[in-house]
Amino acid sequence: MSRAAATAARVSPFLDLESAPFTFPGSRILVQRAGDGVTVRLAEYERRLDDCVLVRTLRVLGAEGRPAAVTAVHPDRIEFGEAGVMLTFDGPDALSLGGDGTVAWSADLDLPFAPAVRTSSAVRIAVVPASTELRPGARFTAQVSEHPGVDGHTRALEATTRVWDAWFDRTPVVRDDLADMTAFCWWVLGANIVSLPGRGARAVVPSKIGYVGLWQWDAYFIASGLRHGDPELAREQLELAFAFPTADGQLPDVVHDEGVLASSDDLPPGDRDNLRRAGSAIADPSAPIPLTKPPLAAWALRRLEGFVSDDAWFAAAWETVTRSQDWWFERSDLDGDGMPEYGHPYSSGLDDSPVFDAELPVASPDLAAYLILQDDLLASRARSVGDVDAASRHAARSARTLELLEGMWDESAGFFRSSGAGTPVAAEAVVSLLPLLTGRLPGRYVTSILAALDDPDRFATTWTVPTVARHDPSYSDERMWRGPVWVNVNSLLAEGLAVSGQAERARELIEQTLRLVIHGGGPHEYFNPATGEKARTATTAFGWSAALFVDLAVQVSRG
């Protein structure tokens, strides 16, 4: 069995047509279960899947007219076994349905705002622009036609298999106990590839189930995993994230089909009004609120070094990161004290964290840590190219930020405390642990953070690390960013432990994070810290969870 075929065999048991839909690299089409058949939807930016239905129900009927069950799902096909019928892709914008010629069959397709279709021959189900008369408000609809050519369906299946084989040939090699989940996570990354019209690049989206765009933070984590099998695709993620800075250097929160999300003015009017009502107490409430993501651009860029060979591209990318870093200090230090703040929860990546129950803007220890790390990496880059002045500037600013971070330490509480509009925030959240990432904390702070990680009333849950301390009144096993475990946070904390002299603790956290994803059944968006299962409202087949599982699995497999 070829390497690609062996990987596909590992993936197939995970493809349940619910948490893991049937899809194709570069396609927006999703096939999921629906009663005794399947439904076909289209993944679009900021549109509910239920508003993007192409085929309400596709049912395959056997020789006696009874519905044929889905008997197997593989990356390249869905099998309706009793009827010998398979559904596959015919390029990114169409599906192909056909039989193997051994059994008589037929199929019913229930199309929104169009007559039902009955077929007993191979058909092509193509995505086409919707007619406004046919389906008001819709952008696309399905067009069903007999498959062109006698062997059209067979050729479609063969082409689909080739695409997946090429992808699976890139699957990173890991330990045997991690191989099944690594294969599935690599499938997730391939399945989440979309083409952004007019962007000239492929985006690996967080999830085709609800997150169809390139979010800046997600791109950094996703690139970290992709580098082990497809470094050029990893580079494309950073290219898109870096491609649309504002005039003053701010990087946008999201790059999507219709533009970017870089401020509250880029949102629909209703959302914009809500954001402004929750916006900075310092900023003019009638002015746009910048929306970005935490400054981990240098962290992501450094991880591609040694995987991508293009000095000119790296030079331009480092310049973009430098301007972004300056933006934080020049435009997001909203109270002028030298420590930048989050002007809105969206810019933190931890939107629902209780630290944002306070008045905005919020000065948070995680942001301080990211800025210190980014200036340290920029100083290192400047030294490597002989720019002594830039190296000195970044190093000096990092040192000043570290002093301000130490000033956030609350001795009586034993953690780095956030503040909202200058007032200390009561909540103890995972943001207080992330200063480990600097690798420069005095030992007494590291000792206190380790104590917090070991305390069952704080962060020592059954499955660690929760995003809020258990004793905190805002803690919840299920509510996003108020308790559930996130793979990206664990990955950052493991790195922070390693650079803070706690290599064994880092390895333990990595191993437990890998066990969590396996125990939970896949790379979900976030996990219940008590049960280790997917939290109820978490998205499945989540990009950065998949990418970071791959990244961590490669790390531990190489010793």
Side-chain angles (χ1 to χ4, degrees):
M1 183 183 293
S2 69
R3 180 186 180 198
T7 303
R10 291 183 184 275
V11 170
S12 293
F14 294 98
L15 304 183
D16 59 4
L17 298 184
E18 293 173 0
S19 61
F22 182 64
T23 189
F24 182 71
S27 179
R28 300 295 184 96
I29 297 172
L30 299 177
V31 181
Q32 295 175 288
R33 291 189 188 275
D36 54 7
V38 297
T39 185
V40 183
R41 299 183 175 96
L42 204 62
E44 296 189 63
Y45 176 67
E46 291 296 286
R47 286 171 67 87
R48 296 170 59 249
L49 284 177
D50 286 345
D51 295 330
C52 302
V53 177
L54 297 173
V55 180
R56 282 202 195 96
T57 307
L58 185 161
R59 296 193 312 157
V60 173
L61 308 176
E64 297 180 1
R66 290 194 298 268
V70 172
T71 53
V73 183
H74 302 283
D76 60 349
R77 66 195 186 278
I78 298 174
E79 296 178 1
F80 299 85
E82 304 163 31
V85 174
M86 290 181 291
L87 182 70
T88 189
F89 274 83
D90 187 5
D93 299 321
L95 293 164
S96 178
L97 181 72
D100 60 11
T102 62
V103 180
W105 63 279
S106 60
D108 287 333
L109 292 87
D110 179 8
L111 306 178
F113 305 104
V117 173
R118 168 65 67 89
T119 181
S120 56
S121 60
V123 294
R124 189 172 190 269
I125 307 163
V127 179
V128 298
S131 163
T132 54
E133 292 79 15
L134 177 67
R135 192 178 177 194
R139 299 184 186 186
F140 301 96
T141 189
Q143 182 181 78
V144 181
S145 58
E146 285 196 17
H147 215 301
V150 176
D151 299 320
H153 176 69
T154 299
R155 287 196 297 269
L157 177 58
E158 291 172 347
T160 298
T161 303
R162 284 195 299 272
V163 170
W164 277 116
D165 282 352
W167 180 253
F168 290 141
D169 276 338
R170 295 178 174 273
T171 308
V173 177
V174 298
R175 275 182 352 212
D176 288 347
D177 61 313
L178 303 174
D180 286 354
M181 185 56 70
T182 297
F184 180 43
C185 287
W186 194 249
W187 173 88
V188 168
L189 293 173
N192 282 345
I193 296 172
V194 304
S195 175
L196 296 182
R199 302 301 186 202
R202 299 163 295 171
V204 181
V205 302
S207 174
K208 287 181 182 175
I209 308 174
Y211 294 96
V212 186
L214 182 130
W215 272 257
Q216 183 195 147
W217 220 27
D218 298 68
Y220 300 156
F221 297 127
I222 288 169
S224 186
L226 284 173
R227 65 188 171 138
H228 298 294
D230 196 337
E232 284 303 315
L233 183 56
R235 171 163 67 166
E236 284 187 52
Q237 307 318 293
L238 300 196
E239 286 177 339
L240 275 170
F242 295 168
F244 303 97
T246 61
D248 54 11
Q250 176 207 337
L251 293 175
D253 185 355
V254 188
V255 179
H256 56 85
D257 293 328
E258 299 173 1
V260 300
L261 174 62
S263 86
S264 52
D265 277 354
D266 298 326
L267 291 167
D271 290 344
R272 188 164 61 242
D273 291 343
N274 289 337
L275 280 176
R276 283 178 173 161
R277 280 194 291 272
S280 168
I282 292 173
D284 178 352
S286 66
I289 299 170
L291 300 177
T292 184
K293 278 292 182 283
L296 279 174
W299 174 88
L301 190 57
R302 174 58 61 87
R303 291 168 86 82
L304 289 194
E305 292 181 345
F307 290 84
V308 173
S309 298
D310 189 334
D311 292 343
W313 177 77
F314 274 111
W318 279 110
E319 178 59 30
T320 299
V321 174
T322 300
R323 294 182 63 234
S324 170
Q325 178 79 343
D326 290 344
W327 175 87
W328 279 98
F329 286 92
E330 294 169 4
R331 301 291 184 179
S332 202
D333 179 10
L334 299 174
D335 59 7
D337 68 351
M339 175 68 80
E341 296 92 18
Y342 291 125
H344 192 274
Y346 281 21
S347 296
S348 74
L350 285 70
D351 307 356
D352 200 33
S353 173
V355 301
F356 296 108
D357 292 347
E359 188 175 0
L360 292 165
V362 169
S364 188
D366 64 315
L367 177 56
Y370 301 143
L371 291 168
I372 292 165
L373 174 61
Q374 186 142 282
D375 263 327
D376 285 346
L377 292 173
L378 286 166
S380 176
R381 163 69 184 182
R383 284 191 289 270
S384 73
V385 297
D387 191 340
V388 176
D389 290 342
S392 177
R393 180 172 72 90
H394 289 297
R397 189 165 61 188
S398 174
R400 288 196 304 272
T401 309
L402 181 60
E403 290 179 6
L404 292 169
L405 170 61
E406 290 191 52
M408 301 173 79
W409 181 259
D410 185 324
E411 192 66 47
S412 61
F415 65 88
F416 289 100
R417 192 181 288 279
S418 302
S419 62
T423 300
V425 174
E428 182 179 7
V430 75
V431 297
S432 299
L433 309 177
L434 286 167
L436 286 171
L437 267 176
T438 65
R440 295 170 58 190
L441 292 180
R444 69 187 188 92
Y445 300 127
V446 175
T447 298
S448 293
I449 289 174
L450 295 177
L453 286 168
D454 290 337
D455 187 344
D457 288 331
R458 297 170 78 183
F459 295 99
T461 48
T462 303
W463 295 93
T464 56
V465 174
T467 40
V468 172
R470 288 189 68 250
H471 66 76
D472 196 278
S474 62
Y475 176 86
S476 166
D477 284 337
E478 290 283 333
R479 186 172 170 184
M480 184 170 68
W481 294 121
R482 291 183 179 246
V485 179
W486 291 70
V487 175
N488 68 322
V489 170
N490 278 14
S491 180
L492 291 173
L493 284 174
E495 183 172 331
L497 287 165
V499 299
S500 298
Q502 301 294 320
E504 187 58 36
R505 292 288 297 260
R507 176 77 178 220
E508 290 172 2
L509 179 55
I510 289 172
E511 293 283 4
Q512 190 192 56
T513 303
L514 295 169
R515 289 196 300 272
L516 169 67
V517 176
I518 294 170
H519 171 83
H524 308 307
E525 187 179 13
Y526 48 94
F527 299 79
N528 183 305
T531 67
E533 302 294 334
K534 181 184 85 70
R536 287 189 298 273
T537 57
T539 296
T540 57
F542 196 69
W544 81 31
S545 297
L548 291 173
F549 183 95
V550 170
D551 188 42
L552 297 176
V554 170
Q555 285 185 47
V556 299
S557 299
R558 291 178 178 172

